[in-house]
């Protein structure tokens, strides 16, 4: 099944108001690549101004709370992201799982809350270096998907991102064969959970994607795009990845 490529940036805890200017060139590249979906998860402080500055660009959050509102100091909810003009959120990023002790059950609750609040979801999974060295990568990814995928998930609102923890921000990436193996496992796990609907769910690769390696990564079977951290912070580094996705079709 043909799935449109998605190139999503994750600015993490980076990006002041001056960085909003990067969105102008990113939006221009998105317009020049009509076959590719382009999204940027900015820090919560920038969602409103980013969405107002580039209304055609898919702006989103990096996390949401599992509740819609209430006494949760410092957190933001899906309805608040939506109200600010955001259209999607990342959930389950390994930095959230590690820094905030988020379990797959927590991630599942957040994905459900995001969908309930009208946001699309990029749900992240991925093994640590120790788990890969122990030969457990496929089992870990399969288990994380099984435990964090909401009932009724479908590709209209949910995208999966495979992000090996050891590849994030390190400049190291798995081989194309290793990426292909995990994506095939992820697709098979999805099929077991949601049947034929699995064909409609995009599976992104994330972890040290750059303009230099994007074409090779997009050529891997079952890779439907990328979740990009460091190389999404400037248009100069992010646009070549969008262009590589456009060439990959
Ligand atoms: P990176 O981050 O591209 O800087 O490795 C990817 C991510 O954490 O989403």
């Amino acid at each position: 099944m043909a799935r449109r490529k998605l190139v999503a940036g994750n600015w993490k805890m980076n990006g002041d108001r001056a960085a909003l200017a990067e969105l102008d060139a990113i939006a221009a590249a998105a317009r020049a690549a009509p076959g590719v979906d382009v999204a940027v998860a900015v820090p919560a402080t920038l969602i409103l101004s980013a969405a107002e500055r580039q209304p055609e660009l898919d702006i989103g959050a990096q996390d949401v709370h599992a509740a819609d509102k209430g006494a949760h100091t410092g957190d933001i909810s899906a309805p608040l992201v939506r109200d600010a003009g955001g259209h999607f959120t990342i959930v389950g990023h390994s930095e959230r799982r590690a820094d905030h002790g988020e379990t797959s059950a927590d991630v599942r609750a957040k994905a459900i809350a995001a969908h309930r609040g009208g946001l699309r979801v990029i749900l992240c999974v991925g093994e640590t270096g120790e788990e890969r060295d122990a030969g457990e990568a496929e089992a870990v990814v399969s288990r994380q998907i099984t435990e964090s995928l909401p009932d009724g998930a479908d590709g209209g609102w949910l995208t999966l991102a495979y992000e090996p923890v050891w590849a994030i921000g390190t400049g190291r990436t798995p081989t194309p064969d290793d990426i292909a193996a995990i994506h095939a496992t992820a697709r098979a796990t999805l099929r077991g959970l949601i049947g034929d609907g699995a064909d409609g769910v995009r599976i992104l690769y994330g972890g040290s994607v750059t303009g230099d390696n994007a074409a090779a990564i997009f050529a891997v079977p079952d890779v439907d795009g990328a979740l990009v951290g460091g190389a999404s912070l400037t248009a100069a580094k992010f646009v070549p990845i969008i262009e590589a996705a456009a060439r990959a079709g």
Side-chain angles (χ1 to χ4, degrees), residues 8-10 12 90 93-95 124 163 167-172 206-210 227-232:
N10 173 11
K12 307 190 180 182
I90 298 170
H93 192 283
S94 60
E95 288 153 14
C124 302
E163 297 207 304
I168 294 174
T170 60
R172 294 167 57 213
S208 296
V209 176
T210 66
L227 182 55
V228 184
S232 71

Side-chain angles (χ1 to χ4, degrees), residues 106-177:
D106 296 329
V107 173
R108 185 171 187 275
K110 288 174 175 229
I112 291 168
H115 181 50
R116 184 172 65 234
L119 301 179
R120 280 173 278 106
V121 172
I122 298 177
L123 194 161
C124 302
V125 296
E127 83 284 359
T128 64
E130 296 77 57
E131 288 164 341
R132 172 154 291 265
D133 291 345
E136 294 168 359
E138 293 183 25
V140 166
V141 166
S142 186
R143 187 174 67 239
Q144 287 180 337
I145 294 171
T146 302
E147 293 177 354
S148 51
L149 195 82
D151 292 343
D154 81 68
W157 61 272
L158 186 124
T159 295
L160 213 59
Y162 166 55
E163 297 207 304
V165 178
W166 53 273
I168 294 174
T170 60
R172 294 167 57 213
T173 56
T175 65
D177 282 353

Side-chain angles (χ1 to χ4, degrees), residues 138 178-190 203 221-223:
E138 293 183 25
D178 286 341
I179 296 174
I182 297 284
H183 279 235
T185 296
R187 181 81 56 203
T189 303
L190 283 174
I203 306 177
D222 251 323
V223 170

